[in-house]
Amino acid sequence: MYETFFGLQHLPFSSVPAPAQYMPFEAVSAARESIERAIDRGEGPALLVGPAGTGKTLLCQLVARRFEDEFTVAMLANSKLCTRRALLQNILFELNLPFRNMEEGELRLSLMDYLDPVSDGDRGLLLIVDEAHTFSTRLLEELRLITNLVRNGQPRVRLLLSGSGRLEELIADPQLESFQQRIAARCYLHALTRDEVIEYIQGQLAGAGATRRVFSEDAYQAVYEASDGIPRVVNQICDHTLLLASVGGVNDIQAAGIAEAWTDLQQLPAPWASDETQPAAEHFIEFGSLDDDNYGDLSESDGESLGVDLTEDEVETIASNDDVAADSIESNDFDAADFDWQTVETCLELIENGQEENCWTANATMNNAGDERGEFDSFSSLVSGPMTSLDDVEVLLHEALREQASRAPKHIECKKEEVTAEELDDSPESDDEMRHIIPLASDPFGGEFAKETVVYDPAETID
């Protein structure tokens, strides 16, 4: 349909395996050479493994054409066989021999009779099994038995098995150990590289008679990304792209044309990202309240809640130094983990109530300074000027407590005092002190037991 538009002699991209379109890439050529060597020398069965669409069937056809003049070729490619009888019937059908209304044993004898040499130039049978991964272990064992037939020191049946990766799993079955030992060649096919895809497309177009460029460089890249290098998918995409281009009157196919063909075939967006696609926005998760950076929204009432009297000038000073406080935090000069916030809060409440001398008692545990203290300087006397930030309050308080801790004794003597029951029973004299009295549980086995009285002793002799 599009051959005339692009000046081609025939369809360049076939939907079925065509030996005339064979491209001798490195992996395919190496596999072909190994298989042909194993068949020609009678070394043993050959194994061809590869993903779907990589050219296994095409390679089987090439091997069949290579040996069609030397062997009788039977290729099993169109049937999913379930029994040994069905397998033998298919082989006889390919050999144009009777196969109907015959039992399994009769089919096997008929095949053996055919394999007996009739002349010196008869080399026997080349049996090619495509889609061999659908076979069961019983059928693979039957194929091994067929290849055991030997005449004049030469095997009468040469075997080539082709299939997906599951074929190797079947061969690895312990029941097929004897068959696995006979395999002479293991060959693998894989997807094409980017350069091989470009060479393949150009080779197919040149073989069809193309005299000018049809695909642009970005179109080649798009074909490779869409097909993942699978030759069957390359054929499908390129054929459909040429069809749409001829309908639209496009002579030079770009990447957009490949994307259109892919979308039309799969009814899905193209699997590669276009150049105009913008990267997705990065997402970040931040912890803390939304106003963590706002240090200046303070008022005099905030100072009262902290136990500090703030004048209007001090509030303005704190608000004007927000950036300084933020910079100190970002530079790790201030670490909230270094502060005992519970102690600071308690001390601020004591200062508010005019009991700053009790700050030492609240902080004694943190400083491990004991229960004795020296004279505590008034906290308010330490504040000699206007505060620059609330952090200054914390710093000044800790400096005062640290200084007081240096005056305290470093060793603590603990005296054990006995508490009488009368002291425990005393009720609290005021509401400032609460005592919880928990009575001790009595020991049920602490007292003496009553003497046991024997009522009747069966061991005692009855007079």
Side-chain angles (χ1 to χ4, degrees), residues 85-279:
R85 181 171 182 268
L87 173 62
L88 295 171
Q89 284 180 326
N90 273 265
I91 295 175
L92 294 178
F93 172 78
E94 292 292 332
L95 298 175
N96 295 322
L97 297 175
F99 63 91
R100 292 185 176 90
N101 302 322
M102 299 174 66
E103 298 297 331
E104 180 180 324
E106 296 174 331
L107 294 169
R108 188 175 291 106
L109 290 174
S110 176
L111 177 60
M112 289 183 179
D113 182 63
Y114 176 83
L115 293 176
D116 282 338
V118 295
S119 64
D120 294 338
D122 184 11
R123 300 190 63 182
L125 172 66
L126 172 57
L127 181 59
I128 300 175
V129 181
D130 199 6
E131 306 293 337
H133 58 271
T134 62
F135 278 26
S136 63
T137 55
R138 291 184 303 170
L139 297 184
L140 293 175
E141 179 65 16
E142 182 67 25
L143 291 175
R144 183 190 69 83
L145 295 175
I146 293 175
T147 59
N148 281 343
L149 185 60
V150 178
R151 294 292 185 270
N152 301 325
Q154 292 293 325
R156 296 297 296 166
V157 178
R158 317 292 169 96
L159 179 62
L160 170 59
L161 297 179
S162 172
S164 66
R166 187 173 181 272
L167 178 59
E168 274 199 308
E169 298 177 5
L170 292 173
I171 299 296
D173 192 299
Q175 298 178 3
L176 298 176
E177 181 180 1
S178 179
F179 185 49
Q180 185 177 7
Q181 294 174 355
R182 286 170 166 79
I183 296 177
R186 296 175 183 266
C187 306
Y188 300 91
L189 300 181
H190 52 75
L192 303 178
T193 64
R194 180 183 180 277
D195 294 338
E196 289 175 341
V197 169
I198 296 175
E199 183 181 352
Y200 177 80
I201 296 174
Q202 293 175 346
Q204 298 305 319
L205 291 173
T211 57
R212 59 180 178 85
R213 192 186 79 162
V214 178
F215 291 89
S216 63
E217 291 298 328
D218 61 341
Y220 289 133
Q221 178 66 25
V223 172
Y224 171 70
E225 294 179 356
S227 64
D228 288 331
I230 303 299
R232 179 185 296 164
V233 183
V234 172
N235 286 341
Q236 186 183 44
I237 294 175
C238 291
D239 180 74
H240 201 67
T241 301
L242 292 174
L243 177 62
L244 296 180
S246 64
V247 173
V250 178
N251 292 318
D252 191 11
I253 298 175
Q254 305 293 326
I258 305 299
E260 180 185 3
W262 174 267
T263 303
D264 192 43
L265 284 170
Q266 304 293 333
Q267 295 300 309
L268 292 172
W272 65 91
S274 62
D275 296 337
E276 294 78 15
T277 303
Q278 297 295 331

Side-chain angles (χ1 to χ4, degrees), residues 32 46 57 62 106 117 119 149 165 218 286 304 309 312 333 460:
R32 183 179 180 180
T57 302
L62 292 172
E106 296 174 331
S119 64
L149 185 60
D218 61 341
E286 295 184 359
E304 295 176 359
D309 294 332
E312 293 183 1
D333 292 336
E460 185 178 357

